[in-house]
Amino acid sequence: MIRRWFANDDIPTNILSRLSAKKLHNLKNVSKEWHNLVSDRSFVSLQLQKREPVSGFFFQEVFQFTDYEGIDSISYIPVDTEILNVWRSILSFLPENVVIMSLNNGLLCCRSCFPISDPRVYVCNPLNRQYGSVEWPNLPRDSTSSIALVFDPSRNPIDKSTDFKLVAVSKMEMEEDDDDDDDVEEECCFLFYIYSSKTGLWTRSKEFCPSNDNLSKNKGVLVEGVLYWHTDGCKILMFDPQSEVSLLISSPLPETEFDSIPETCIGESHGKLCYVIISEDGLQEWTLEDCFMSHWELKISIPLYEFEKENPIVGYKLSEKVGNRVSKDAVPWMDPLAFKDGMLLLRVSAVVYLFQFDTRMMKRLCDVSSLGPKSMFSPIVVPYTMSLVPIGEAYP
């Protein structure tokens, strides 16, 4: 009956496609016919036209001063539920422990833990527990190399297959040339490797970007088909996998503008790259208007005294506590962990909150201690939006 109902009328299908991916995933358990409908690529393509809200954040503690990463250190912090909880086993369907690399449009990119003789790169859908794996590119097998996922169903429809690219970026020393100018300051550069699911091959890009900076948190943010990486040198590394053009974009404000050391992160919001700054001046959200001119526009600015007054749950004397950070080795009192669609995952002292810039509302999510013993120090955090996109069957 259900099959005849959907076969004879497109109206119910159009109505169902407006539901969230989470609700539709639960409908798979109703019957085999419902499962087939929700899993159908044409239906998934229709449902993808609906913009999914952020459902949570993947959080992975980073163990410093060790070469061993083979630990189960990934947590999932949901933000779309009333019951506050931290999930630990959401990636248990993968064949090994992994390190999170990037996430966009419902698909997660991660890699094997080092050291390992045959590392793999995984692209998976945590909602339907499907995954595919790719061989590690010809890059150093350590944490200096980063891989980002390029998956945009609006540009590459998934009605027949789930096509994606991977972009690996690695920092290398530049070869010395006696003919070069001795005044050149950059001794290192970023190299790029591109994997295409259509060919199943890695290729090295001819592009390289001179820089002495290191990649920092929020690696591989995808905005309108272009990738951005946060660095530790007040610059943002940009790479367009289509044109294979790279660029270093200056941050909205240099560190010399502040009396203390600010904390920053980047993220995507409604098709634009955003830059979040927390300093003695308050919380600021900037949007990138022109990447070639490094032109930013200040969208929202909230002084700390206003933020403290509106959100008394975070404590008091925030200006003093934030302003006291004068060394990068010191753990910041307030740390912007990840940003997506106006939603900021924020650590204040030893508590993780969700802050919405537009409404200026704040929600307590969990204690940092519930995320692992090393969660205070430079964790990997990526925002997650659920998706029904199938992945895995056609990839090596």
Side-chain angles (χ1 to χ4, degrees):
M1 178 179 178
I2 294 177
R3 183 181 301 170
R4 292 196 300 272
W5 181 47
F6 285 112
N8 296 332
D9 197 343
D10 289 336
I11 295 179
T13 303
N14 290 328
I15 294 175
L16 283 176
S17 66
R18 299 177 185 178
L19 296 177
S20 67
K22 183 178 181 179
K23 291 181 179 179
L24 288 169
H25 179 72
N26 292 333
L27 288 177
K28 287 184 176 182
N29 299 323
V30 174
S31 67
K32 183 178 180 180
E33 291 167 324
W34 280 91
H35 185 280
N36 292 338
L37 170 71
V38 176
S39 302
D40 184 77
R41 283 186 173 271
S42 60
F43 177 81
V44 174
S45 298
L46 185 63
Q47 196 274 335
L48 283 172
Q49 298 176 15
K50 173 186 179 295
R51 186 177 179 89
E52 288 281 336
V54 176
S55 59
F57 293 82
F58 280 93
F59 184 105
Q60 184 168 26
E61 57 181 328
V62 177
F63 279 64
Q64 298 177 327
F65 312 116
T66 178
D67 294 329
Y68 184 65
E69 299 175 330
I71 55 173
D72 185 12
S73 58
I74 297 176
S75 302
Y76 176 68
I77 310 172
V79 299
D80 59 350
T81 60
E82 294 297 328
I83 300 176
L84 302 179
N85 196 9
V86 175
W87 301 355
R88 280 285 189 177
S89 58
I90 195 169
L91 297 182
S92 60
F93 61 93
L94 294 176
E96 59 178 321
N97 290 337
V98 294
V99 174
I100 293 175
M101 305 303 289
S102 71
L103 197 158
N104 56 67
N105 292 302
L107 296 187
L108 175 67
C109 174
C110 46
R111 63 163 172 82
S112 303
C113 297
F114 297 137
I116 189 173
S117 59
D118 182 25
R120 307 290 295 178
V121 180
Y122 296 94
V123 177
C124 67
N125 186 331
L127 183 62
N128 59 27
R129 301 173 67 85
Q130 295 177 343
Y131 72 91
S133 67
V134 174
E135 66 179 1
W136 182 258
N138 186 24
L139 290 173
R141 298 179 179 182
D142 54 39
S143 58
T144 61
S145 302
S146 178
I147 297 180
L149 173 67
V150 181
F151 170 66
D152 188 348
S154 65
R155 297 169 182 263
N156 295 288
I158 57 98
D159 51 342
K160 294 183 179 180
S161 62
T162 304
D163 297 323
F164 63 87
K165 291 182 178 180
L166 299 172
V167 175
V169 56
S170 183
K171 184 179 177 181
M172 300 287 186
E173 291 187 1
M174 298 181 67
E175 295 183 0
E176 295 184 1
D177 191 338
D178 294 337
D179 295 331
D180 288 346
D181 189 349
D182 293 337
D183 294 333
V184 176
E185 296 182 357
E186 287 78 6
E187 298 178 352
C188 299
C189 67
F190 290 112
L191 302 180
F192 304 93
Y193 293 76
I194 304 174
Y195 173 88
S196 171
S197 63
K198 292 182 179 180
T199 64
L201 299 173
W202 285 97
T203 58
R204 176 175 171 176
S205 173
K206 296 181 180 179
E207 180 73 357
F208 67 94
C209 186
S211 174
N212 290 331
D213 298 336
N214 298 307
L215 299 183
S216 184
K217 59 186 178 182
N218 306 118
K219 300 173 182 177
V221 176
L222 182 69
V223 183
E224 298 294 323
V226 179
L227 285 167
Y228 300 88
W229 287 267
H230 190 281
T231 75
D232 59 5
C234 291
K235 300 283 186 179
I236 297 170
L237 175 63
M238 184 206 81
F239 181 74
D240 186 339
Q242 185 67 32
S243 62
E244 298 190 24
V245 172
S246 66
L247 184 68
L248 281 177
I249 303 170
S250 298
S251 61
L253 296 173
E255 287 188 353
T256 54
E257 291 286 326
F258 306 97
D259 294 330
S260 60
I261 298 177
E263 281 300 310
T264 61
C265 75
I266 62 173
E268 184 268 346
S269 184
H270 305 289
K272 287 193 174 184
L273 180 71
C274 296
Y275 195 94
V276 176
I277 304 176
I278 297 180
S279 69
E280 67 268 15
D281 295 332
L283 281 74
Q284 296 179 346
E285 178 191 344
W286 297 76
T287 58
L288 182 63
E289 301 297 329
D290 188 333
C291 63
F292 296 102
M293 298 297 294
S294 293
H295 174 61
W296 297 84
E297 180 179 320
L298 180 60
K299 183 178 179 182
I300 299 175
S301 181
I302 306 174
L304 285 180
Y305 71 88
E306 289 186 11
F307 180 81
E308 183 178 328
K309 183 178 179 180
E310 296 171 356
N311 302 280
I313 59 174
V314 301
Y316 62 98
K317 295 184 178 181
L318 288 182
S319 297
E320 177 182 337
K321 294 172 180 176
V322 171
N324 283 339
R325 186 168 185 254
V326 294
S327 170
K328 289 188 176 181
D329 294 331
V331 178
W333 185 262
M334 297 178 65
D335 190 6
L337 300 174
F339 178 84
K340 170 72 173 175
D341 291 340
M343 302 174 67
L344 176 67
L345 192 71
L346 173 67
R347 179 187 60 75
V348 181
S349 184
V351 181
V352 176
Y353 299 91
L354 181 70
F355 178 71
Q356 300 188 48
F357 269 95
D358 293 340
T359 62
R360 296 170 74 147
M361 296 183 64
M362 199 161 186
K363 177 182 178 182
R364 187 183 191 279
L365 296 178
C366 63
D367 294 328
V368 175
S369 59
S370 65
L371 302 171
K374 300 292 184 180
S375 298
M376 293 283 287
F377 308 98
S378 303
I380 300 171
V381 187
V382 292
Y384 175 55
T385 55
M386 293 186 179
S387 167
L388 297 169
V389 174
I391 188 74
E393 298 84 358
Y395 306 114

